[in-house]
Amino acid sequence: MAEFDVDLFVIGGGSGGVRAARIAAGHGARVMIAEEYRMGGTCVIRGCVPKKLFVLGSHVHQEIEDAAGFGWTIPTSTFDWPTLIANKDKEIARLEAAYTANVEKSGAEVLKTRAVLKDAHTVRLADGKTVRARTILIATGGAPNHGPVIPGIEHVISSNEAFHLPELPKRIVIQGGGYIALEFACIFAGYGSDVTVIYRGDNILRGFDDDVRSHVRTEMEKAGITILTGCTVTRVDKHGKDFTSHLSSGSSLASDQVMFAIGRHPNVANLGLETAGVAINPHNGGIAVDAWSRSSVANIYAIGDVTHRFNLTPVAIREGHAFADTVFGKRPVQVDHASIPTAVFSQPEVGTVGLTEAQARAQFSHVDIYKTTFRPIKATMSGRDTRVLMKLVVDGVSDRVLGCHIVGDAAAETIQAVAIAVKMKATKADFDATIALHPTAAEELVTMRTPTARHVREAAAE
Ligand code: FAD
């Protein structure tokens, strides 16, 4: 009898696990992958994809309003939330089936079950059966984390439930200032809800460039979203179908739903990590891994959100691919986590890559800032009160573009292309040498001639 049933057992059928299973099977490995909920994981089932579908639909109302300035008269429009949910569910079911089929086509076996570690080489399934594996990959992702327990926390929904609400809330309170909270705030506002965002810090989008943070806040407030910073929800009461959120500031808010999007934790609980000897990273609570995604146990690897490094789908996919190539493809690859482009699908969108101004000023002695805000051409006809922000952060010594930050329509699409240049270490002179494409908003990125600010750090005294 063979020592191992499979070469690779993957726990978790999300973005990272699926990619790793397919690539490893392609390299000839015998692979099993276990998924306890739905194949495709967070991104496909209750993350990026359904979120983007919601975002796209939420823009329609604004398009209709903007149409008037271009001469269109559109009869009164109505919106039906159950139709949106049903059509989204249909698309997600299609994608889930495609994910399962693609994994099976690669030769890997899909098990619809929870799986946990029994020891370093053995996985136990929900029915008690065990599988012996030469290598184990943990790709169990993460889950919403509501923070400290407050009275009435059981009334609070997360992004998971937001995708399945039976009706559109007329009023919603959303606690959180990160990208998920703001995306849902703009989604609900776009469909017509009255939205209040509660955030404990002094401004939303912590970690993003400060100009981006204030620009997005202003734009969201102009769109009618209330943003209360410097306070938290301390208690939620339910009266019939209504909720009252009590705030640390002493005030309270009535709503039809209360949603928290204040963070996510890696899915490490009850996985048998201690029994197998897999260590947790004390700094972030995820599975501790090295640059090869190898855990403290030599034959156990971990990728994606469960390692709590950069919780983004393309990162999980890249890590899964690199793991499979390294371990089964005789092609050692380490993932380069520098200059990962990211977006916030708020209204307007944010696209960003590289360093913020504050990060650059902490790391470089000379930092030049090129910044512009302007009214997009469409707004001149639609009359909408909105502005675009474009910002480049440049190393004043080497002329290298260290960061690019955009707030405006199609910012995410634009930043994906700009990220190639930033990754290639393009200089400001390279940007300037590129001829503008007119008329676009993005042409500003290659036509900003003069720095709007120049920061020179004094040399430390001898
Ligand atoms: P996951 O996709 O979470 O997959 C893990 C899988 O493991 C899950 O299916 C889970 O059911 C399964 N599992 C867990 N434990 C077990 C077990 N013991 N046995 C069997 N199965 C198990 N990222 C972006 O890049 N762009 C976006 O726009 C974006 N939007 C997002 C919006 C929301 C609302 C959320 C919540 C996330 C979003 N993300 C986005 C993040 C993205 O979804 C994650 O980074 C990505 O899904 C991580 O992939 P993963 O493979 O690590 O984990």
Side-chain angles (χ1 to χ4, degrees):
M1 200 179 96
E3 191 190 351
F4 297 111
D5 303 310
V6 291
D7 300 313
L8 173 65
F9 195 103
V10 180
I11 307 180
S15 309
V18 162
R19 174 59 67 98
R22 287 176 55 190
I23 300 301
H27 287 312
R30 292 169 303 155
V31 181
M32 269 186 195
I33 176 168
E35 169 53 53
E36 68 175 346
Y37 180 56
R38 294 177 67 182
M39 283 295 281
T42 304
C43 170
V44 174
I45 307 297
R46 44 196 182 184
C48 335
V49 177
K51 183 265 309 273
K52 189 76 187 276
L53 296 175
F54 275 18
V55 167
L56 291 169
S58 73
H59 289 180
V60 175
H61 186 236
Q62 191 170 309
E63 289 290 334
I64 292 171
E65 281 179 354
D66 288 355
F70 293 87
W72 291 92
T73 303
I74 296 176
T76 313
S77 56
T78 56
F79 167 67
D80 185 51
W81 176 263
T83 302
L84 173 76
I85 299 290
N87 288 346
K88 179 265 296 173
D89 286 344
K90 207 164 116 195
E91 171 58 8
I92 299 309
R94 186 189 71 77
L95 284 172
E96 182 186 3
Y99 265 72
T100 311
N102 284 339
V103 175
E104 288 175 342
K105 228 183 283 166
S106 76
E109 186 178 345
V110 176
L111 307 177
K112 300 300 291 290
T113 176
R114 182 170 170 81
V116 299
L117 299 174
K118 185 162 177 261
D119 61 45
H121 281 288
T122 315
V123 172
R124 193 176 55 243
L125 311 181
D127 62 6
K129 287 196 185 118
T130 56
V131 180
R132 297 268 302 151
R134 187 184 303 278
T135 303
I136 295 172
L137 177 68
I138 304 174
T140 50
N145 180 355
H146 279 348
V149 176
I150 56 162
I153 193 78
E154 66 278 12
H155 306 311
V156 172
I157 62 165
S158 71
S159 55
N160 286 352
E161 292 76 39
F163 287 118
H164 299 283
L165 292 177
E167 56 194 44
L168 176 71
K170 285 196 180 59
R171 302 156 303 170
I172 184 164
V173 168
I174 301 179
Q175 174 158 246
Y179 80 95
I180 294 177
L182 300 188
E183 288 174 345
F184 273 98
C186 294
I187 286 169
F188 283 117
Y191 288 118
S193 304
D194 183 353
V195 180
T196 305
V197 173
I198 309 289
Y199 180 57
R200 71 177 171 170
D202 60 350
N203 203 0
I204 55 174
L205 287 179
R206 186 164 63 92
F208 284 76
D209 187 89
D210 285 336
D211 284 316
V212 169
R213 299 172 76 187
S214 41
H215 196 93
V216 172
R217 180 172 185 168
T218 306
E219 289 290 323
M220 285 178 64
E221 287 173 337
K222 279 197 285 195
I225 296 171
T226 304
I227 300 180
L228 304 176
T229 48
C231 61
T232 56
V233 177
T234 55
R235 194 176 92 226
V236 179
D237 295 335
K238 186 172 196 285
H239 334 267
K241 285 179 78 182
D242 292 352
F243 300 95
T244 305
S245 299
H246 298 270
L247 308 185
S248 54
S249 56
S251 59
S252 62
L253 291 163
S255 67
D256 308 296
Q257 289 290 348
V258 183
M259 173 175 166
F260 281 11
I262 57 177
R264 292 176 60 81
H265 62 250
N267 281 333
V268 293
N270 307 319
L271 265 186
L273 298 180
E274 310 75 19
T275 341
V278 176
I280 294 290
N281 180 338
H283 302 295
N284 66 16
I287 294 180
V289 288
D290 66 12
W292 303 100
S293 295
R294 188 193 283 249
S295 79
S296 54
V297 177
N299 70 299
I300 300 182
Y301 291 74
I303 52 153
D305 284 13
V306 75
T307 63
H308 221 31
R309 288 177 283 184
F310 296 88
N311 295 342
L312 293 167
T313 287
V315 178
I317 290 174
R318 188 60 74 91
E319 289 169 357
H321 202 129
F323 152 79
D325 279 348
T326 301
V327 178
F328 298 100
K330 299 190 181 71
R331 211 184 311 146
V333 194
Q334 283 187 358
V335 176
D336 174 6
H337 289 107
S339 298
I340 297 170
T342 63
V344 182
F345 292 97
S346 47
Q347 177 74 323
E349 264 173 35
V350 177
T352 177
V353 64
L355 301 185
T356 65
E357 177 177 338
Q359 288 167 337
R361 290 175 63 182
Q363 292 173 34
F364 292 83
S365 59
H366 293 61
V367 175
D368 290 342
I369 302 299
Y370 297 80
K371 184 172 78 176
T372 178
T373 75
F374 55 94
R375 201 166 183 218
I377 189 168
K378 186 175 173 191
T380 60
M381 295 277 279
S382 70
R384 182 166 296 281
D385 178 14
T386 184
R387 293 186 77 75
V388 174
L389 167 73
M390 301 259 171
K391 179 170 177 179
L392 292 177
V393 178
V394 178
D395 176 2
V397 175
S398 69
D399 198 38
R400 196 181 137 197
V401 176
L402 303 171
C404 176
H405 309 276
I406 305 173
V407 184
D409 281 353
E413 301 289 345
T414 310
I415 210 73
Q416 177 68 84
V418 175
I420 302 170
V422 172
K423 189 81 187 160
M424 290 175 73
K425 302 188 171 34
T427 59
K428 179 65 170 58
D430 293 323
F431 275 56
D432 294 345
T434 306
I435 293 182
L437 195 159
H438 184 71
T440 61
E443 68 184 298
E444 295 289 332
L445 293 173
V446 297
T447 53
M448 290 188 279
R449 295 276 166 237
T450 320
T452 45
R454 175 162 276 169
H455 304 286
V456 180
R457 201 188 310 141
E458 297 296 320
E462 291 289 306

